[in-house]
Amino acid sequence: MARLTTLGKLAVLLVIGGVIFAGVKILGNMGYLGQRTTQESTVIEKVDLPDAPKNAATSVQVLALPSSTPANVNSPEIRWLLWAWNAQMGAILANGGAETTKGSIMASKKVNLKITRQDDVPQMQAALVKFAESYKSDPETRQGAHFVTIMGDGAAAFLAGLNPQLEKLGEEYRAQIIFTCGRSLGEDKFMGPPAWKENPQAARGGVTTAVLRDGDWNIVIKWCSDNGIPVNADETTYDPEAMNFIAADTYIDASEKYINGYTEERDEVKKGQRTGKKVTVGVTGVTTWTPGDVMVAKKKGGLISIVSTKEYRSQMPCVLIGIKKWMEDNPRLVENLIEGIAAGGDQVKSFSPALKKAAAISAEIYNEETADYWEKYYKGVTETDRKGLPVELGGSRVNNLADNAEIFGVNPGSTNIIKIVYTTFGDIVQKLYPDLVPSYPTAEQVINTRFLKSVLSRAGSDIASADEAEFNADDNIRETVSKKSWAIEFASGSAEFTPAAKGVMEQLFNDLVIASNLKVEVHGHTDNVGDPAANLKLSERRAFAIKTWLENKSANNFPEGRVTVFSHGASNPIVSNDTPVGRAKNRRVEIIMGK
């Protein structure tokens, strides 16, 4: 009998594990394993995320559009699996088609690239394992895939399941993040009834369908955190005081569950305990991306964009993940690939014909819709849904070299957005699903900037600039996205931070910089001890101290006009000032983000 390969053993173990898990779950649901315990719905205290990159003006030389004729590139084939996602348009234009074409940017850089749509995450993981296993014995293997692209905020969960298997081949075979092709800028969204946007607390008891632990699911988690709404991580129960979830297999399945009126019967829970009541729950919210959001609007309607990556614009970079060993063995080929993606990004950013061509190639690769469709929803539009509601649909952005220098924190004074996004959502999924994700690889293990730095070094100053959000200091917030009180401690009667405040300030920084197109209001409050006029001035000084700290830490993320200050003194207590505990709660800073 032939011996099983590592991948074969993995497949057998997964099948056996799935059978055992399903059996245990069925027996538990039938009551044969005793009373099931449930976890109390959780308020995620802080979701700390970075800002998007800076500066958008470009001076890019127009390049001829690629042909549709396959190129004869004399270099090893590189295989890349990706979702249908407009953030990859730069890479798609650069290649000219599913396979590298004549006159394309990739052909000029001697990159022989094959791009394949793959919407199934386990299949992506399996393809990387298959490639790594085969590459170890055959450097010219045609098995598996060299690269995949996924949402950066889902990378920790993705790699938590992947890298332990790859590292059995050796640590040098682990998967690593090396570049970003672009980012979602609105198309990934949390859709719900208009009442949820008018009053976020109305979403308590809501039921959102989502691919659990995926990037779009993270949008809901972030929004709930921003607004103090607990999340029920148990998709088999219903908590009327929390946001609940119905699991979807794919982002399209999530949309279809809403469209088709999907329901489930569940046990009701309150404060982590079953009440003995059975309830039928249906889908009241959806988290998805294009074309899922378009399907919801056109086929059923009734939901609007509650929040999206248009607001949380640094949450979802489109990260390129490859096998470390192969990349280290072929550094110049990897660098040429990065240069090609970036050059394609510059063309799509700068020239309408390049965007149109990229959209046409996208329709071919994805085997879905038309060029006009992908172009329209790359830009993002507001359309009327089937029930007459205006709803924002689509919206993505490609990246260039300068964007990546900012995103990976390579530029002096920049923030490593990839590391913060990766770690933040890794911590969240580990907290909510400790049995499924007991740990995940560290950012230092999986983020590799060697190739990007080499490309930037060769390019010097001869690169287009990155994207930048602009603010007008005279504009007030018209639409609030989130409001949260922060317990930032100051020395008594002073605007000096205490040592304990420094950690909270770091959390605040990461929480605010995610939304680079949202204005920030810092509202200072005191208790009622002392002179009212002095308290008013003190609250102002403390609010200004926070504004100054944020701007000094990163002028890129907090440019002039983004942060405004309001002082209230003791005029707006949230509880009685009659007790020490009450006075402590009233000494607070409220942060409002909006547009």
Side-chain angles (χ1 to χ4, degrees), residues 91-137:
I92 284 173
L93 174 72
N95 207 45
E99 298 185 11
T100 308
T101 67
K102 291 182 178 180
S104 69
I105 295 170
M106 290 301 183
S108 71
K109 295 186 177 298
K110 309 301 181 185
V111 174
N112 180 15
L113 180 63
K114 181 178 181 180
I115 300 174
T116 304
R117 176 178 178 176
Q118 175 55 265
D119 291 341
D120 191 314
V121 168
Q123 291 293 330
M124 284 183 164
Q125 292 170 318
L128 289 172
V129 172
K130 179 180 286 187
F131 170 74
E133 182 184 55
S134 301
Y135 181 71
K136 188 170 185 176
S137 58

Side-chain angles (χ1 to χ4, degrees), residues 87-317:
Q88 299 154 149
M89 274 204 185
I92 284 173
L93 174 72
N95 207 45
E99 298 185 11
T100 308
T101 67
K102 291 182 178 180
S104 69
I105 295 170
M106 290 301 183
S108 71
K109 295 186 177 298
K110 309 301 181 185
V111 174
N112 180 15
L113 180 63
K114 181 178 181 180
I115 300 174
T116 304
R117 176 178 178 176
Q118 175 55 265
D119 291 341
D120 191 314
V121 168
Q123 291 293 330
M124 284 183 164
Q125 292 170 318
L128 289 172
V129 172
K130 179 180 286 187
F131 170 74
E133 182 184 55
S134 301
Y135 181 71
K136 188 170 185 176
S137 58
D138 178 11
E140 297 181 1
T141 179
R142 298 184 66 82
Q143 300 294 310
H146 300 70
F147 293 100
V148 301
T149 37
I150 65 167
M151 304 176 197
D153 57 332
F158 181 89
L159 294 174
L162 174 64
N163 272 2
Q165 298 303 321
L166 290 171
E167 289 171 358
K168 291 178 182 178
L169 302 171
E171 290 187 358
E172 68 274 22
Y173 285 89
R174 65 170 53 120
Q176 293 186 319
I177 299 167
I178 63 165
F179 198 68
T180 67
C181 302
R183 61 193 181 278
S184 179
L185 197 61
E187 84 170 76
D188 291 81
K189 60 174 57 69
F190 169 34
M191 304 178 77
W196 292 5
K197 193 156 192 172
E198 295 166 7
N199 175 21
Q201 298 307 313
R204 289 175 181 263
V207 182
T208 297
T209 180
V211 180
L212 302 182
R213 299 171 294 280
D214 179 66
D216 289 344
W217 172 83
N218 285 328
I219 296 174
V220 188
I221 300 301
K222 163 69 175 165
W223 182 81
C224 288
S225 170
D226 285 348
N227 290 285
I229 300 171
V231 293
N232 179 12
D234 182 357
E235 66 268 25
T236 68
T237 63
Y238 173 76
D239 186 338
E241 289 299 315
M243 177 61 71
N244 303 273
F245 294 95
I246 287 177
D249 294 329
T250 68
Y251 70 102
I252 295 297
D253 181 44
S255 300
E256 290 175 339
K257 277 185 163 61
Y258 170 73
I259 294 166
N260 297 328
Y262 178 87
T263 61
E264 292 181 359
E265 187 178 76
R266 294 187 176 183
D267 290 338
E268 182 185 72
V269 296
K270 291 184 178 180
K271 298 186 182 300
Q273 300 297 318
R274 284 176 169 77
T275 66
K277 180 181 177 181
K278 293 282 188 180
V279 294
T280 299
V281 300
V283 177
T284 49
V286 177
T287 181
T288 187
W289 78 83
T290 307
D293 59 344
V294 179
M295 290 170 57
V296 167
K298 301 298 184 185
K299 294 186 178 182
K300 186 171 184 177
L303 303 183
I304 64 171
S305 177
I306 303 300
V307 70
S308 73
T309 48
K310 186 175 181 179
E311 291 80 29
Y312 299 162
R313 62 183 290 166
S314 68
Q315 176 176 327
M316 202 168 289

